[in-house]
């Protein structure tokens, strides 16, 4: 069954290669292949979630080169959760894209699938250098997707995105080189064994490398002060690309969870919990900055882009506390916020198509077509994003508020999240009331069509906030078990000692 670990990588790889060679094929054929590929990807991730649910670890060693020397894929509960989260988001984004957003670029679907391949490598790899490779694969694809549609509005923020991420990649490479120079390995399970043994001057080299890694992951996650590139880049991207990018910041958060609980966890000796003292206050400041940005947003896409930054702060604050309850709550919230933000990006695009020259700007305009349908979708997304009952955002934030023990961390967490949620409600209320209800006389000339594909995709992503509530019990059980598994990495390390390709370990 370990062969299944390669499926989330091989399926988008083969689909992307076919898209490259089919660049001049009819667009209907390319779209059919794209949807079929993402459906197959979703099926494979469902299988992996089922496999991971028994709490065992599974390893696949390419070419039967055993760790710590070969390239390995490792499946656990966290990796499976991230894979299915991304696959569901990707399928609905792809469904939206075939409604017309993919036109004008023959390689859109190929880039989309290669980005999924990079994301899935990042979630499955058991090696720091291959994590770097995964980042490069998904970033190269994201550069092309970000520029999809062209124009100065996308080129300038896209250039900022490229430059910052290239700088991050350089720092990543230097940091893994520093760690390798001391430990002689980059396999994450092997690092968990070797790092507690580091002493003397070598300790400071590994400490510096570890802190540099944290900076790189903070850049990928858009943690303050490395978050200001995100709002313009996401707001100017096409809707399905921006919606898919909702999971991009979660890759940085995943990397922090994986590396700093496994490699620099409680058993790392002098380097235990490296950088975590900085993470909690920066997370709260990131949340506060996101709320300020949302209050000042002048269009819906920018508002949703700042919501991404709010979610980063909300996720990293309980993770920084390091408790099982905090990690479990963060993972529950991660599901809610990724799908909700993706849905809101798609809803914002549907609104823009209906408002003529006003687009998605938060200004008064003549009454749009399909106002009731779109306003309900926006309301559901806003309620879930702000954390109001009865949708999933409320339960996720309630779990986060319950996670810390009494003390100053609890006081700060409660204060920032509750005040931030209040002002987030104000931001969404202001935007919704102006866009949907404060109409002026006149009519909109040639409003864009509201097709079936795009409506289903946007509606389904937003409706997942209701599905998460309906399945709150099983999901919470899964995230609890995931947090316990992350806090006890001995099983992850043990697979190094008895790896057997093709069998469970």
């Amino acid at each position: 069954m370990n062969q299944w670990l390669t499926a989330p990588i091989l399926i988008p790889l083969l689909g992307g290669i076919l898209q490259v060679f089919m660049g001049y094929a009819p667009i209907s054929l390319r779209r059919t292949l794209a949807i079929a590929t993402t459906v197959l990807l979703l099926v494979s991730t469902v299988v992996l979630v089922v496999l991971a649910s028994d709490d065992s670890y599974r390893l696949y060693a390419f070419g039967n080169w055993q760790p710590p020397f070969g390239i390995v894929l490792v499946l656990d509960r966290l990796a499976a959760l991230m894979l299915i989260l991304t696959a569901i988001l990707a399928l609905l984004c792809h469904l939206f894209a075939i409604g017309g957003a993919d036109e004008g670029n023959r390689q859109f679907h190929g880039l989309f699938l290669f980005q999924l391949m990079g994301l899935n490598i990042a979630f499955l790899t058991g090696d720091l250098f291959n994590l770097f490779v995964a980042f490069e694969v998904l970033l190269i694809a994201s550069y092309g997707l970000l520029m999809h549609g062209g124009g100065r509005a996308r080129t300038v923020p896209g250039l900022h995105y490229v430059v910052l991420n290239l700088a991050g990649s350089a720092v990543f490479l230097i940091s893994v080189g520093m760690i390798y120079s001391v430990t002689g390995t980059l396999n994450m399970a092997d690092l968990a064994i070797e790092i507690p043994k580091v002493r003397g001057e070598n300790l400071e080299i590994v400490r510096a490398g570890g802190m540099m890694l944290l900076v790189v992951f903070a850049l990928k996650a858009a943690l303050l002060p490395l978050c200001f590139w995100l709002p313009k880049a996401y707001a100017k991207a096409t809707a399905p690309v921006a919606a898919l990018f909702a999971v991009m910041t979660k890759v940085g958060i995943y990397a922090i969870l994986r590396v700093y609980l496994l490699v620099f966890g409680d058993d790392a000796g002098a380097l235990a919990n490296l950088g975590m003292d900085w993470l909690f206050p920066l997370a709260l400041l990131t949340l506060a900055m996101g709320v300020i940005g949302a209050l000042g947003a002048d269009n819906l896409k920018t508002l949703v882009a700042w919501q991404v930054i709010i979610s980063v702060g909300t996720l990293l604050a309980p993770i920084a506390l390091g408790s099982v309850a905090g990690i479990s709550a963060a993972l529950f919230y991660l599901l809610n916020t990724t799908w909700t933000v993706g849905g809101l990006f798609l809803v914002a695009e549907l609104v823009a198509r209906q408002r003529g020259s006003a687009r998605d700007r938060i200004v008064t305009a003549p009454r749009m077509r399909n106002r009731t349908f779109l306003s309900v979708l926006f309301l559901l997304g806003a309620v879930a994003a702000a954390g109001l009952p009865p949708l999933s955002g409320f339960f996720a934030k309630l779990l986060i508020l319950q996670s810390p023990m009494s003390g100053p961390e609890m006081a700060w967490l409660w204060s920032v999240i509750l005040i931030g949620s209040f002002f987030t409600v104000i931001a969404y209320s202001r935007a919704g009331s102006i866009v949907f209800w404060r109409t002026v006389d006149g009519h909109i000339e040639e409003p864009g069509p509201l097709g079936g594909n795009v409506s289903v995709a946007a509606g389904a992503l937003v409706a997942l906030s209701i599905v998460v509530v309906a399945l709150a019990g099983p999901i919470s059980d899964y995230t609890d078990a995931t947090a316990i598994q992350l806090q006890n990495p001995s099983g992850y390390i043990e697979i190094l000692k008895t790896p057997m390709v093709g069998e469970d370990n």
Side-chain angles (χ1 to χ4, degrees):
M1 295 301 292
N2 287 13
Q3 306 293 334
W4 275 101
L5 273 66
T6 62
I9 299 171
L10 294 180
I11 290 172
L13 172 62
L14 295 176
I17 292 173
L18 286 174
Q19 290 286 348
V20 170
F21 287 103
M22 293 173 58
Y24 291 94
I27 192 169
S28 58
L29 181 59
R30 283 184 275 133
R31 287 172 172 173
T32 301
L33 175 63
I35 294 297
T37 305
T38 45
V39 169
L40 284 174
L41 176 61
L42 177 57
V43 171
S44 71
T45 61
V46 170
V47 173
L48 293 180
V49 168
V50 173
L51 291 176
S53 296
D54 63 1
D55 286 321
S56 65
Y57 294 86
R58 289 173 172 81
L59 178 140
Y60 182 87
F62 283 94
N64 205 25
W65 284 89
Q66 303 302 326
F69 306 106
I71 298 173
V72 295
L73 304 179
V74 183
L75 178 72
D76 64 353
R77 282 180 171 271
L78 178 61
L81 180 69
M82 298 303 297
L83 288 171
I84 195 168
L85 163 74
T86 304
I88 292 173
L89 177 68
L91 177 59
L92 294 175
C93 290
H94 233 153
L95 184 63
F96 189 97
I98 65 174
D102 59 343
E103 295 176 355
N105 184 350
R106 293 191 301 272
Q107 301 305 331
F108 174 86
H109 295 292
L111 290 170
F112 195 100
L113 293 172
F114 288 135
Q115 173 145 354
L116 292 180
M117 180 185 70
L119 287 166
N120 293 340
I121 294 173
F123 297 143
L124 284 168
T125 186
D127 185 278
L128 268 184
F129 185 77
N130 291 322
L131 181 61
F132 166 78
V133 172
F135 277 15
E136 294 309 294
V137 171
L138 67 91
L139 286 172
I140 290 171
S142 71
Y143 300 154
L145 290 174
L146 197 62
M147 299 298 183
H148 174 62
R152 179 181 174 83
R154 292 193 176 98
T155 302
V156 174
L159 180 62
H160 295 164
Y161 174 84
V162 170
V163 170
L164 281 171
N165 278 284
L166 285 176
S169 297
V171 175
F172 196 161
L173 200 56
I174 293 169
S175 63
V176 297
M178 294 170 68
I179 293 171
Y180 183 79
S181 70
V182 173
T183 62
T185 183
L186 290 176
N187 181 284
M188 286 187 276
D190 202 28
L191 283 171
I193 297 172
E194 296 299 324
I195 281 182
K197 303 175 184 176
V198 177
R199 299 288 186 274
E201 295 180 356
N202 288 338
L203 187 68
E204 297 309 314
I205 296 175
V206 177
R207 188 190 306 276
M211 290 301 294
M212 290 168 66
L213 266 184
L214 187 58
V215 171
V216 173
F217 297 155
L219 172 63
K220 306 300 183 185
L223 183 71
L224 194 77
L226 303 172
C227 65
F228 295 104
W229 58 269
L230 187 147
K232 283 189 177 180
Y234 280 34
K236 297 302 181 183
T238 57
V241 172
L244 180 65
F245 278 19
V247 80
M248 291 283 280
T249 53
K250 311 310 182 293
V251 179
I253 294 170
Y254 167 84
I256 291 173
L257 269 172
R258 177 66 74 200
V259 175
Y260 289 86
L261 289 178
L262 175 63
V263 178
F264 298 105
D266 293 335
D267 299 326
L271 298 176
N273 302 312
L274 181 68
M276 291 301 103
D277 290 342
W278 290 93
L279 194 60
F280 183 73
L282 287 177
L284 295 183
L285 288 172
T286 302
L287 197 164
M289 178 56 67
V291 172
I292 294 170
L295 288 169
D298 59 359
N299 62 71
L300 294 182
K301 284 186 179 179
T302 301
L303 170 60
V304 181
W306 281 107
Q307 178 65 49
V308 174
I309 294 177
I310 293 172
S311 70
V312 169
T314 308
L315 278 165
L316 286 176
I319 289 173
L321 296 177
S323 66
V324 169
I327 294 170
S328 175
L331 293 176
F332 191 99
Y333 178 78
L334 186 146
L335 287 173
N336 163 75
T337 190
T338 305
W339 289 333
T340 298
V341 166
L344 283 171
F345 273 122
L346 301 186
V347 172
E349 175 63 20
L350 296 185
V351 170
R353 293 182 183 184
Q354 301 294 301
R355 298 184 77 221
S357 61
R359 300 291 293 168
D360 67 326
R361 287 182 292 129
I362 304 174
V363 296
T364 56
R367 177 171 174 166
M368 73 182 81
R369 232 188 249 174
N370 304 295
R371 182 178 71 171
T372 301
F373 173 69
L374 294 176
S375 63
V376 168
L377 287 184
F378 182 81
L379 175 63
L380 290 174
V383 167
L388 296 178
L391 297 185
S392 56
F394 171 76
F395 294 99
K397 287 191 175 181
L398 185 61
L399 290 172
I400 290 173
L401 292 175
Q402 292 175 339
S403 62
M405 303 297 288
S406 59
E409 291 87 0
M410 181 178 181
W412 279 108
L413 188 67
W414 276 65
S415 299
V416 175
I417 286 185
L418 291 178
I419 294 172
S421 296
F422 173 74
F423 283 106
T424 303
V425 171
I426 292 175
Y428 281 107
S429 299
R430 164 182 167 269
S433 61
I434 292 174
V435 170
F436 294 104
W437 304 111
R438 294 185 190 176
T439 57
V440 297
D441 294 335
H443 66 280
I444 298 172
E445 296 182 1
E446 299 181 2
L450 196 62
N453 288 346
V454 295
S455 299
V456 169
L461 265 181
V462 171
L464 284 172
S465 62
I466 302 173
V467 175
V468 171
V469 173
L471 299 177
I475 292 174
S476 182
D477 291 341
Y478 188 94
T479 58
D480 287 344
T482 304
I484 293 171
Q485 194 177 57
L486 287 169
Q487 286 283 45
N488 299 278
S490 57
Y492 195 106
I493 298 170
E494 187 66 24
I495 62 174
L496 270 180
K497 300 177 180 177
T498 55
M500 297 171 64
V501 176
E503 298 183 14
D504 297 347
N505 295 280

